[in-house]
Each structure stands twice: as structure tokens, then as C-alpha cells.
Amino acid sequence: MSVYLGFMFISYLIYSYIYQVIPVRNNINYIIVLGSGLIGDRVPPLLKSRLDKGIDIYKDQKDRGNLPKIIVSGGQGPDELVSEAYAMKKYLISQGINNEDIIAEDKSTTTYENMKFSKAIMDKSGNYKCIFVTNNYHVFRASIFARKVGLKANGVGAPTAFYFLPSALIREFIAILFIYKWLNIIIILLYLVLVINSLLPINF
């Protein structure tokens, strides 16, 4: 059990690290920045990290001669004064991003809806290439939801403050295990059967 869970967790850590440092080499049409909680109407450091990563990719694409759009995706939580998309768009504009290059998706309340509603916006333009940006610990689970809605998009991980990272990694890993709960339950049950079988006395 320890070997199985340990292997899964190490694989998850490697995936999170790789998608933080891997460069975006393809030409893309859309950059989806996934929302996270606000402080009132302000962008906190965690969300700022995602937005800054999106800005870096946007500027790199512009330098190549592309004209990408940034989709800021996030609705309004019960303790938030505005939608995440509104606050994110406001931050991007303050950093010099053209208003015309920002699309606000302000209805989503989960990562699954982030992907679903952003895909619906992009589908109206016909063929396109896109990526999504979130924090490094969240890329793997976000990729799962992207596949669930039929969105072909690689994830890019933004750095996360060290003091927040350990707890975030553990919570996210548990969430991933829960997504595949039946597969994990079957594996655990098979393991228990093998253990019980090995403890039974052998009759000659």
C-alpha cells in the first residue's frame, strides 16, 4: 500500500514540476487562466501568479507575431465582491494587456466548469489551439477535467509560494485519488485479498 501510494504521489510531484518549467513552443490562439479565490475584489498572490504566467505567455506569443486572446475564467463566490473573471481582467489591464484581447468567462464555479464554459467560448471561433494556466500543483487535476469536456489543451503551471505548497499538494493529491476512487478501491481490495491469502495456513 505504501509503495503504491508513494509511487502515485511521486509521479504527481514530477508531473507538477515538469509542467512548471516546460516552455510553450506552439503557436496558440487562446490562453485560459483559471480563477481562484479573491480577497474581496482583489487578486491574491496565488491568482496573481497564474495571471503573471499568462501574461508572460501572451507577450511571448505576441513577439512571434501571433494575436492570442486571454480567457479569464471564474465566477463570483459567496464571499467575493465581484466575479473572479472581473478582478482578473482588471489586473491584466493594469499590467498593460489590451482590453480587446481579454475575454471574461464569469459563470464557472468549479475547475470542470472553467474548462466547459471556456471551451464553449472558443468553439465559436472554429479551429483553434489553446493552453490553460493554473498553479503547478493544480495542473494534473485540471488536465483531467479538460479531457472530460473534450478540450485538447496542455496545462502550464505557475509557481506557488513555498509555505502554501505542501498543504496544497496533499489536498490536490487526495482530490485526484477521489476522482479515480473506484479504480483505487479495486486496487486496494485486490491488495487486501493477496495479504489475507498469504496469511492463510497452507494445508499439505
Side-chain angles (χ1 to χ4, degrees), residues 62-175:
K62 294 272 283 190
D63 289 343
R64 302 184 197 181
N66 298 324
L67 300 173
K69 301 290 186 182
I70 300 178
I71 298 178
V72 286
S73 180
Q76 183 174 352
D79 59 342
E80 297 172 339
L81 301 178
V82 297
S83 70
E84 293 166 6
Y86 177 87
M88 294 162 75
K89 182 174 182 178
K90 183 178 178 182
Y91 176 81
L92 290 176
I93 292 173
S94 74
Q95 300 301 305
I97 305 299
N98 295 328
N99 179 64
E100 296 77 15
D101 291 340
I102 307 170
I103 301 171
E105 183 288 293
D106 59 1
K107 303 300 181 185
S108 56
T109 58
T110 64
T111 303
Y112 178 87
E113 290 181 350
N114 286 145
M115 298 302 184
K116 181 180 178 180
F117 298 158
S118 296
K119 182 178 184 296
I121 291 172
M122 296 184 293
D123 284 345
K124 296 176 182 178
S125 66
N127 294 327
Y128 59 86
K129 292 183 179 179
C130 67
I131 61 167
F132 66 85
V133 180
T134 186
N135 287 91
N136 46 11
Y137 66 86
H138 186 235
V139 173
F140 187 87
R141 187 159 64 96
S143 296
I144 293 172
F145 289 126
R147 289 195 296 272
K148 283 182 179 292
V149 303
L151 179 61
K152 296 180 180 179
N154 289 325
V156 178
T160 304
F162 182 75
Y163 67 86
F164 182 79
L165 191 57
S167 61
L169 285 169
I170 293 171
R171 289 199 308 270
E172 198 70 13
F173 179 65
I174 293 172

Side-chain angles (χ1 to χ4, degrees), residues 156-198:
V156 178
T160 304
F162 182 75
Y163 67 86
F164 182 79
L165 191 57
S167 61
L169 285 169
I170 293 171
R171 289 199 308 270
E172 198 70 13
F173 179 65
I174 293 172
I176 293 169
L177 291 177
F178 185 77
I179 291 174
Y180 295 105
K181 60 182 178 181
W182 291 114
L183 174 61
N184 288 304
I185 288 172
I186 290 171
I187 291 173
I188 291 170
L189 288 175
L190 288 173
Y191 169 78
L192 291 174
V193 169
L194 291 173
V195 170
I196 293 172
N197 187 62
S198 67

